Amino acid sequence: MVSVPSWGATEVNASTAAAPASVSRRFPEGFYWGVATAAYQVEGAWNEDGKGESIWDRFAHTPGKIKNNDTGDVANDHYHRYAEDVALMKSMGATAYRFSISWPRIFPDGSGTPNPAGLDFYSRLVDELRSAGIEPFATLYHWDLPLALQDRYGGWRSAETAKAFAEYAGYVAGRLGDRVKHFFTINEFRTFVESGYQGLDVPMAGGQTIHLGGAPGVEFPDGELNQVRHHAVLGHGLAVQAIRARGPADAKVGFAENGRWAVPAVDTPEYVAAAETATRELNADFLTVMLEGRYTDAYLEQAGADAPAFTDDELKTIASPLDFAGINVYRPHVYVQPSGEPPGYRVVPFNASHPKMQASWHIFAPEVMYWAPRQVQSLWGAQSIFITENGCAAADVVSSDGKVYDSDRVMFLRGCLEQLQRATSEGVPVDGYFHWSSQDNFEWVNGFGDRFGLIYVNFDTLERTPKLSAQWFREAARHNAVV
Ligand code: BG6
């Protein structure tokens, strides 16, 4: 049994009152109010029911790789508590759930013979969601590659992994497609490629950077890294084709990429145009090639001898037509201003005092939530866009009254959703928003330290407590508006 979050008499009254007459900041009818998670970050049950080992299992089991040597072995135990978690989502007013499927649960050896018990978990989850009136959105790759493919091919270093991914994607779409209608191929191409295959330099407060690596934890030179990037987008394209071939006729397919968003420092047409130029070039290796079917001249020129090897046929596959673009939007990558010199824009540095959320990389700049989808529409003509992730880490604690007052997350949400509503009110075709995350969870190399959830999780007892932000989300979802 799950109780609906309660915030005392005043809040309960507010939540049962009619929508304020002044609500004009509405989202389009049918807008999805979603929450998101990923398999390795919440499921646990790392070696149950025939699941194979993933690169993240191996990585987290290697001492020294993860803060406090935390692992996803148990995580939120979502694998066993999914019914409780779906009930919590329902109580938060969520109408959609973006979860990821663990590839090594389905194909323990990466390819070959599927494991029916692995698929069965997702089948039960999907049934539970649908009976709660929550639309399932499945991500096929959220970084937990079967270890067997790492060992056999060096992971995404080889086009064989891209082919195996398509095989798996087609199989899942064929099996779940009677009840799952939205599929995301790959989550955050840039993050998993750059942190897993080279180590990611993350800017910290005070201008320093820290070097973070994720699984599989190899460090390739630029040429090989570009080939990994190419195989990731190739895997996406092949998966789109496999889902079309083996999934249901009404399946909708897209990706979920954390673009490098360039935001105009000033809202004039010249700045806006400069920001579009910047966003297109800064994403040449992922978004741009998937949406245009070509690597930009500037990208190839800059890569020189390190440019990936590719064929025209591969480019066509990579740009296979999509039903929607999914974008993860946390912060601007840069602010820009126009420039008469190539590349047509200049980067405006973030001031040292620019407001931040808790994570040192997390500049607070909610206007990115307006510009990112607007640019995806204006640059690439997207007709359907999902915000597949947005959220922030916060220093959440359970207060003496048992509640979690994440006032900064509420501020962040309000700011971001106002900007998103600004976009939809101008006709930018955003069809849904997924908050990262539904619950606090395993934050990759940061272990359980960074809390991103609308629901607080005590990782000793696994007790869940909806935060103040869950209440905010519920009201926004209920009114389909920023209230
Ligand atoms: C998600 C991860 O896809 O991206 C989250 O699974 C993470 O755990 C988020 O917090 C952060 O995105 P970025 O842009 O910082 O890589």
Side-chain angles (χ1 to χ4, degrees):
M1 267 303 287
V2 172
S3 58
V4 174
S6 151
W7 292 89
T10 335
E11 290 92 341
V12 169
N13 285 343
S15 80
T16 51
S22 62
V23 168
S24 58
R25 288 174 295 174
R26 280 190 195 287
F27 286 85
E29 210 173 310
F31 188 82
Y32 283 107
W33 287 89
V35 290
T37 64
Y40 187 72
Q41 296 181 271
V42 296
E43 284 179 3
W46 77 280
N47 59 358
E48 287 183 40
D49 297 336
K51 175 181 167 294
E53 207 175 337
S54 81
I55 56 171
W56 272 94
D57 292 318
R58 177 59 58 88
F59 194 72
H61 291 157
T62 309
K65 296 292 186 192
I66 312 283
K67 206 161 156 184
N68 302 320
N69 289 322
D70 288 341
T71 74
D73 290 1
V74 177
N76 299 34
D77 197 28
H78 181 61
Y79 189 81
H80 298 113
R81 296 171 196 237
Y82 69 92
E84 175 187 354
D85 289 339
V86 170
L88 277 167
M89 287 174 217
K90 188 177 167 139
S91 77
M92 280 195 292
T95 56
Y97 178 40
R98 174 177 174 240
F99 59 96
S100 85
I101 294 179
S102 159
W103 181 352
R105 273 195 206 289
I106 311 295
F107 287 99
D109 195 38
S111 57
T113 313
N115 167 35
L119 191 79
D120 191 54
F121 166 65
Y122 297 103
S123 187
R124 283 182 276 124
L125 171 65
V126 165
D127 287 344
E128 190 76 24
L129 288 164
R130 291 184 72 84
S131 61
I134 298 172
E135 188 66 24
F137 285 66
T139 306
L140 291 158
Y141 187 71
H142 204 124
W143 311 350
D144 47 353
L145 186 77
L147 185 65
L149 296 179
Q150 188 64 38
D151 292 345
R152 218 178 299 150
Y153 305 126
W156 293 96
R157 182 184 192 174
S158 165
E160 292 305 316
T161 293
K163 291 181 201 157
F165 177 58
E167 188 58 32
Y168 146 73
Y171 175 79
V172 171
R175 292 306 175 108
L176 295 180
D178 55 335
R179 289 157 293 150
V180 179
K181 300 301 175 186
H182 296 82
F183 292 94
F184 301 104
T185 53
I186 291 180
N187 176 71
E188 294 201 357
F189 297 73
R190 181 176 308 286
T191 313
F192 92 81
V193 169
E194 295 183 1
S195 68
Y197 290 82
Q198 197 169 50
L200 193 65
D201 287 322
V202 182
M204 305 294 280
Q208 296 160 323
T209 57
I210 54 159
H211 192 67
L212 286 183
V218 293
E219 306 230 344
F220 283 169
D222 289 346
E224 278 185 75
L225 189 73
N226 284 335
Q227 203 60 49
V228 172
R229 291 184 162 102
H230 180 71
H231 291 150
V233 287
L234 181 61
H236 153 81
L238 290 168
V240 172
Q241 295 182 348
I243 293 166
R244 301 254 188 256
R246 297 170 62 187
D250 56 352
K252 290 194 158 62
V253 193
F255 50 70
E257 171 60 342
N258 57 335
R260 289 179 155 178
W261 310 115
V263 166
V266 182
D267 296 20
T268 65
E270 297 75 22
Y271 277 74
V272 170
E276 285 179 353
T277 303
T279 292
R280 180 168 177 267
E281 284 304 339
L282 290 166
N283 294 288
D285 41 358
F286 296 116
L287 283 177
T288 307
V289 70
M290 289 191 287
L291 293 168
E292 296 184 16
R294 62 185 292 259
Y295 288 114
T296 66
D297 296 341
Y299 172 72
L300 292 177
E301 232 164 80
Q302 210 186 329
D306 289 326
F310 60 87
T311 67
D312 286 348
D313 271 357
E314 286 175 349
L315 290 180
K316 272 195 208 117
T317 299
I318 289 166
S320 296
L322 301 176
D323 301 294
F324 54 78
I327 52 174
N328 294 3
V329 183
Y330 286 88
R331 61 159 186 160
H333 183 67
V334 284
Y335 285 124
V336 297
Q337 59 187 30
S339 161
E341 307 284 311
Y345 65 91
R346 284 221 339 256
V347 169
V348 178
F350 293 115
N351 205 358
S353 56
H354 193 104
K356 294 183 185 65
M357 303 311 296
Q358 189 200 25
S360 56
W361 53 267
H362 204 168
I363 296 293
F364 178 58
E367 66 273 22
V368 68
M369 205 57 151
Y370 168 76
W371 291 107
R374 184 179 141 158
Q375 290 175 342
V376 171
Q377 180 191 32
S378 62
L379 280 167
W380 297 300
Q383 290 176 14
S384 173
I385 299 169
F386 285 100
I387 304 301
T388 33
E389 283 181 29
N390 164 254
C392 63
D396 305 324
V397 288
V398 182
S399 308
S400 51
D401 62 2
K403 294 179 181 168
V404 181
Y405 296 102
D406 54 342
S407 56
D408 49 349
R409 183 172 291 104
V410 171
M411 172 197 77
F412 180 85
L413 264 168
R414 187 183 288 120
C416 288
L417 282 156
E418 277 174 0
Q419 292 290 332
L420 187 61
Q421 194 276 337
R422 176 182 164 209
T424 58
S425 70
E426 291 179 13
V428 178
V430 181
D431 292 323
Y433 167 91
F434 291 87
H435 189 79
W436 185 271
S437 174
S438 170
Q439 320 187 334
D440 298 339
N441 58 48
F442 178 85
E443 179 61 14
W444 307 111
V445 293
N446 287 322
F448 294 105
D450 285 0
R451 295 180 175 275
F452 275 86
L454 295 174
I455 294 172
Y456 181 92
V457 177
N458 175 327
F459 288 102
D460 295 326
T461 62
L462 295 178
E463 189 187 349
R464 279 94 158 124
T465 307
K467 304 176 189 175
L468 179 63
S469 55
Q471 173 77 3
W472 192 93
F473 181 92
R474 183 163 63 136
E475 292 308 313
R478 194 164 78 86
H479 296 301
N480 196 29
V482 184
V483 285

